[in-house]
Amino acid sequence: MNRWSALAALFAVLAALALRVPKLETRPLHNDEAVNAVKLSELWEKGSYAYDPDEYHGPSLHYASLPFLWLSGTRSANELSDATLRWVTVAFGVALILLLLLLVDGIGRPAVAWASLFIAISPAMVFYSRYFIHEMLLVFFTALTLGAGWRYSQTPSALWALIAGAGLGLMFTTKETFVLTLAAMGIAGVITAWWATGSIPKLRTVWAQFSPRHVALAVGATLLMWLLLFSSFFTHLEGLPDSIRTYLPWLKRAGGHSPHIHPWYFYLERLAWFHSAKGPVWSEGTILLLAAIGIGASLFAQRALFHRFLALYTLTLTGIYSAISYKTPWCLLNFYFGMILMAGVGAAWLWQLFRSRIPQVVLSVGMLLAVVHLAGQSWLASSEYASDRRTPYVYAQTVPDVMTLVDRAEGIGKVAPTGYQTVIKIIAPESDYWPLPWYLRRFQNLGWYEKLPEDPFAPIVMVSSKLDARLDERSEKKWIMVGLSELRPGKFFELYVELELWKKYVETLPRDRE
């Protein structure tokens, strides 16, 4: 790495921090974030973690979060803020940029510099770096595996074999969809070899290129990550077979009935052009266009095999994710990382193509405008539109209005004689009440119901409006409905409070709020 590469990486890291760190608490936790927060708090406070093969993905996110909690100075889960939870994904989103330095002699310094900048300012990369879910970690470990694999191909050594193996193991322990990335790598590798030699490489020929000791180290590192994390450091051995068994429910989910079934162009539409009524136009079209140029240059203008491999890997993985019916927008990061690498190649290739002064000035101005446009969108998506459905990456998002419900419960708890021992009943069909279990975690007596129980009354009752509870009428006004709050778009909760308790709470409010 020379001085210019270091400066480019430093600038990209600073830009990434500037867009990712501010206002981390602006958006309330998505229900998936809240589920991860509850599992993390159990690991942190009780030291227990059990991998669930049906839900929740792998253990890497939770174990990787522990150092951030220790460093935060927070003493218990009750004090944990949303911002503290999101620091881990911010860190991985920024560190991803540094991993590109492993590829400097693979795709070239200019391409790495451009790709680093695009990762720093891409709205999708910024938005999901501020999201306490597994996706950013999976992209990071994918980049680590690719980078270490490339370095090994240039300088075979035990160290790079070990790192590549560990990267693969950490992909496995992060999210089940790592198999899609692995399949894309394998397909791209076979096609690249066929393109170069005119024949499909035989397994024996491939095997002969590696040192058996290095293979053993890589496989050992992969198995070690799998063994430690899925077994919860030997406290939950059932996690090991469950890490294989998990693929049955996930295969059903990929092609089954779900509210997350979307057409093939779902991801590309959100990246290329997304416009809701009365909202701004969102587009990462510049990166997509440069990626198309980079893929074309890698396949037809460049002769380097690594360029060709990355282009084929990106196309294959994009095709796989587009073909699977089950789609959630954060999954696009996996193939979009490859597209950003290709966009870096495309930008560098264009710069080489236009060598005379005037075209280079025009290209510079165009790229500057594109950078400003992308960074501006990232800022908007992280601030003013952080919870707004008119943003392409906001999906089944918790509405900020839910904090009114939580704040009122907290306020009532403070005036109730029983404090946080006050009973709260939360009633919603199909357990559709997340992220309330996280936000109500300070209360010790919570009751969760999927339909109205025989006795629905408690000092505080939160009921889905779908159930038409009318608890005020049923109780002859001994309970009153004091608010209607939106949990997610179109999903409302009614808040009922025992009348005398409500009167005590109201007395604590400033006069102008009564």
Side-chain angles (χ1 to χ4, degrees):
M1 181 174 66
N2 67 6
R3 183 176 60 176
W4 293 110
S5 296
L7 284 174
L10 178 62
F11 177 76
V13 165
L14 291 176
L17 287 170
L19 289 171
R20 285 160 174 77
V21 173
K23 302 181 178 179
L24 274 174
E25 288 190 327
T26 296
R27 177 174 50 77
L29 293 186
H30 184 278
N31 54 330
D32 287 355
E33 292 182 283
V35 169
N36 288 328
V38 168
K39 290 189 75 68
L40 173 61
S41 65
E42 290 173 359
L43 174 62
W44 185 34
E45 293 189 327
K46 303 174 184 174
S48 64
Y49 176 87
Y51 173 66
D52 185 329
D54 296 318
E55 293 285 353
Y56 313 135
H57 304 306
S60 296
L61 174 67
H62 307 94
Y63 283 102
S65 299
L66 290 177
F68 293 86
L69 302 192
W70 296 330
L71 292 172
S72 71
T74 308
R75 291 171 297 180
S76 71
N78 286 347
E79 296 178 4
L80 263 180
S81 68
D82 295 355
T84 302
L85 292 169
R86 288 168 175 155
W87 265 109
V88 60
T89 47
V90 167
F92 276 90
V94 174
L96 176 64
I97 292 169
L98 299 177
L99 288 182
L100 298 195
L101 295 174
L102 297 174
L103 306 176
V104 163
D105 58 349
I107 59 175
R109 288 192 181 91
V112 165
W114 280 114
S116 299
L117 181 60
F118 292 145
I119 287 176
I121 63 174
S122 153
M125 287 289 174
V126 171
F127 192 84
Y128 291 122
S129 289
R130 298 159 53 89
Y131 221 83
F132 185 57
I133 58 174
H134 296 69
E135 221 64 40
M136 189 51 68
L137 272 69
L138 180 57
V139 174
F140 177 88
F141 293 132
T142 300
L144 178 65
T145 306
L146 278 172
W150 165 250
R151 297 258 42 93
Y152 182 85
S153 72
Q154 299 305 294
T155 314
S157 70
L159 178 63
W160 290 121
L162 205 60
I163 295 174
L168 182 59
L170 289 168
M171 288 170 65
F172 187 2
T173 57
T174 300
K175 194 174 177 186
E176 297 78 3
T177 49
F178 95 101
V179 295
L180 305 179
T181 305
L182 203 59
M185 288 180 185
I187 292 170
V190 170
I191 297 177
T192 302
W194 169 78
W195 200 330
T197 63
S199 62
I200 302 291
K202 294 180 179 177
L203 191 58
R204 187 187 307 169
T205 308
V206 175
W207 179 262
Q209 296 178 13
F210 298 99
S211 153
R213 177 171 164 266
H214 292 170
V215 172
L217 283 172
V219 172
T222 301
L223 291 176
L224 183 62
M225 295 298 112
W226 169 76
L227 182 65
L228 292 177
L229 293 174
F230 276 119
S231 73
S232 306
F233 290 86
F234 306 107
T235 61
H236 179 72
L237 294 178
E238 295 91 336
L240 299 176
D242 282 348
S243 68
I244 307 300
R245 193 168 63 82
T246 186
Y247 289 94
L248 289 176
W250 282 107
L251 280 174
K252 290 178 184 175
R253 188 169 302 178
H257 297 289
S258 165
H260 306 298
I261 300 300
H262 297 290
W264 68 268
Y265 52 82
F266 175 78
Y267 297 124
L268 295 176
E269 181 183 49
R270 284 175 185 251
L271 288 168
W273 186 270
F274 188 86
H275 185 212
S276 297
K278 298 182 180 179
V281 172
W282 303 85
S283 174
E284 302 197 34
T286 303
I287 293 177
L288 293 180
L289 178 61
L290 289 171
I293 293 171
I295 288 171
S298 298
L299 293 180
F300 304 112
Q302 304 267 3
R303 293 298 179 189
L305 291 182
F306 190 55
H307 282 82
R308 197 171 285 170
F309 167 79
L310 286 178
L312 291 168
Y313 161 74
T314 302
L315 287 173
T316 304
L317 196 56
T318 305
I320 291 173
Y321 272 98
S322 298
I324 295 172
S325 301
Y326 184 97
K327 293 180 174 72
T328 47
W330 42 85
C331 290
L332 66 82
L333 291 190
N334 294 285
F335 67 81
Y336 197 46
F337 171 66
M339 284 194 175
I340 287 179
L341 290 179
M342 286 292 99
V345 171
W349 186 78
L350 281 178
W351 191 260
Q352 275 190 326
L353 188 66
F354 300 112
R355 292 178 179 275
S356 55
R357 182 179 296 274
I358 293 179
Q360 283 202 345
V361 169
V362 172
L363 185 60
S364 299
V365 171
M367 292 299 287
L368 179 62
L369 291 175
V371 166
V372 171
H373 179 239
L374 289 167
Q377 290 180 88
S378 291
W379 181 259
L380 281 178
S382 301
S383 53
E384 183 179 346
Y385 289 87
S387 304
D388 196 314
R389 280 179 290 171
R390 293 172 296 176
T391 307
Y393 310 117
V394 169
Y395 184 79
Q397 171 61 42
T398 306
V399 176
D401 187 37
V402 77
M403 298 313 295
T404 305
L405 189 70
V406 174
D407 290 343
R408 280 196 170 167
E410 286 275 341
I412 294 166
K414 287 175 182 173
V415 300
T418 48
Y420 284 122
Q421 298 294 327
T422 302
V423 175
I424 303 179
K425 290 185 177 178
I426 304 98
I427 310 163
E430 300 175 350
S431 304
D432 197 5
Y433 38 64
W434 287 90
L436 289 177
W438 173 252
Y439 283 123
L440 296 174
R441 63 191 181 280
R442 294 179 186 82
F443 288 92
Q444 302 301 306
N445 292 308
L446 299 172
W448 305 94
Y449 305 86
E450 295 202 347
K451 60 182 182 180
L452 278 177
E454 189 174 331
D455 176 11
F457 296 104
I460 302 174
V461 185
M462 300 175 180
V463 191
S464 166
S465 60
K466 281 184 180 178
L467 296 175
D468 192 24
R470 303 189 187 192
L471 297 186
D472 42 2
E473 294 179 16
R474 293 187 187 198
S475 66
E476 297 178 345
K477 302 297 181 183
K478 292 179 181 173
W479 270 257
I480 60 170
M481 186 176 129
V482 298
L484 181 69
S485 299
E486 193 173 18
L487 183 76
R488 281 192 293 284
K491 297 183 184 298
F492 292 88
F493 266 73
E494 298 165 353
L495 177 62
Y496 293 91
V497 182
E498 197 176 19
L499 179 59
E500 296 305 316
L501 184 56
W502 177 251
K503 287 178 179 176
K504 285 182 67 175
Y505 168 68
V506 170
E507 287 174 2
T508 67
L509 299 178
R511 286 290 177 185
D512 58 351
R513 294 185 59 186
E514 291 183 28

